[in-house]
């Protein structure tokens, strides 16, 4: 169980290095400072929208997959689990080996998100829209949900595990928001350094973590499948 939770935590930290969420949060903070308003309502509304969608998607995914396996009377054997683990590891290795464009497209904030940054309610809908686009395509999140669905027996607290996963995935933008509210010179320097560091090293860190996680999954699948 401990290794299972550690693996899910690793996937959550992979998801947390999302430059888009950091970019939108930073834009909200910057605009709020120019307008001499608190960035908390708008940024929290945005992050709450992302959190709500990703959490609901995770719960629905696990319940739906469990329902389908019961509907077709499919028994998930250990061999099937390790083949799925091997496939997930290969996908992570492939994604980790891909280089992003140097134009910084991953860090670009959508124009419609910029236009909504002064309205907390609209920012909530922006978070919902971004969550709807990212949750079904986030490979680490899908891998984590598949691991939860395939575990036998499935943990009784699996909904809480998904909630915790989604909270961990939002740590960087929440940290950006928290440090932006502090008024000391040291906290402001930390805030600027944090934003620059996430934008500069975030994509590279994701690639490295994807390669490490993919290699670990492939190695674990090969070792355990050989023992069957």
């Amino acid at each position: 169980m401990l290794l299972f939770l550690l693996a899910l935590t690793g996937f959550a930290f992979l998801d947390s290095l999302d430059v888009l969420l950091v970019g939108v949060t930073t834009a909200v903070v910057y605009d709020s400072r120019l307008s001499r308003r608190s960035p908390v309502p708008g940024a929290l509304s945005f992050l709450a929208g992302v959190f709500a969608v990703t959490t609901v998607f995770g719960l629905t995914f696990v319940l739906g997959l469990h329902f389908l396996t019961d509907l077709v009377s499919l028994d998930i054997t250990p061999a099937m689990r390790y083949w799925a683990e091997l496939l997930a590891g290969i996908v992570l290795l492939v994604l980790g080996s891909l280089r992003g464009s140097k134009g910084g497209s991953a860090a670009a904030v959508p124009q419609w998100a910029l236009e909504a940054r002064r309205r907390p309610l609209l920012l909530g809908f922006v978070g919902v829209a971004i969550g709807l686009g990212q949750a079904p395509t986030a490979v680490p999140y899908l891998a984590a949900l598949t691991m939860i669905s395939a575990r036998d027996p499935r943990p009784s607290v699996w909904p809480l595990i998904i909630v915790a996963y989604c909270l961990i995935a939002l740590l960087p933008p929440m940290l950006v928001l928290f440090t932006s509210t502090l008024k000391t010179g040291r906290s402001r320097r930390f805030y600027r350094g944090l934003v620059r560091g996430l934008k500069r090293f975030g994509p590279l860190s994701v690639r490295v973590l994807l390669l490490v996680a993919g290699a670990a999954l492939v190695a674990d699948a090969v070792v355990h499948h050989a023992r069957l």
Side-chain angles (χ1 to χ4, degrees):
M1 184 66 175
L2 179 60
L3 292 177
F4 172 72
L5 293 177
L6 288 176
L8 294 181
T9 303
F11 283 132
F13 277 110
L14 271 178
D15 265 343
S16 72
L17 298 175
D18 190 328
V19 184
L20 176 59
L21 299 184
V22 172
V24 175
T25 306
T26 305
V28 173
V29 170
Y30 181 74
D31 183 76
S32 298
R33 285 182 172 178
L34 291 179
S35 306
R36 296 184 178 181
R37 294 179 290 104
S38 172
V40 174
L44 279 185
S45 177
F46 167 69
L47 295 177
V50 176
F51 173 77
V53 170
T54 52
T55 302
V56 171
F57 174 82
L59 297 174
T60 306
F61 182 94
V62 174
L63 289 174
L65 194 60
H66 183 68
F67 173 76
L68 287 177
T69 54
D70 287 345
L71 184 65
V72 299
S73 300
L74 176 64
D75 293 327
I76 301 178
T77 64
M80 293 173 61
R81 295 194 192 98
Y82 294 131
W83 277 111
E85 186 179 18
L86 178 63
L87 179 60
I90 293 174
V91 171
L92 292 180
L93 288 174
V94 171
L95 291 176
S97 63
L98 297 177
R99 290 182 178 272
S101 63
K102 294 184 179 180
S105 59
V109 180
Q111 185 62 34
W112 50 273
L114 293 175
E115 294 174 354
R117 62 190 177 186
R118 297 186 180 184
R119 303 176 182 178
L121 182 60
L122 287 181
L123 281 171
F125 287 109
V126 170
V128 170
I130 291 179
L132 287 173
Q134 290 190 338
T137 57
V139 175
Y141 191 32
L142 295 178
L145 295 176
T146 303
M147 288 177 60
I148 295 174
S149 302
R151 189 170 178 84
D152 187 24
R154 190 171 56 187
S156 58
V157 294
W158 67 268
L160 296 180
I161 293 177
I162 293 178
V163 170
Y165 182 105
C166 295
L167 286 175
I168 294 174
L170 291 177
L171 281 180
M174 287 193 295
L175 185 58
V176 167
L177 175 61
F178 173 73
T179 54
S180 71
T181 61
L182 302 178
K183 302 300 182 181
T184 64
R186 179 178 298 180
S187 63
R188 289 180 178 178
R189 288 192 297 272
F190 177 78
Y191 163 77
R192 290 192 293 267
L194 174 65
V195 173
R196 285 196 300 266
L198 287 173
K199 289 185 176 180
R200 181 177 181 182
F201 299 108
L204 177 61
S205 301
V206 169
R207 288 184 59 210
V208 172
L209 291 174
L210 284 174
L211 291 172
V212 172
L217 287 176
V218 170
D220 183 73
V222 170
V223 170
H224 285 87
H225 191 271
R227 295 177 180 175
L228 295 179

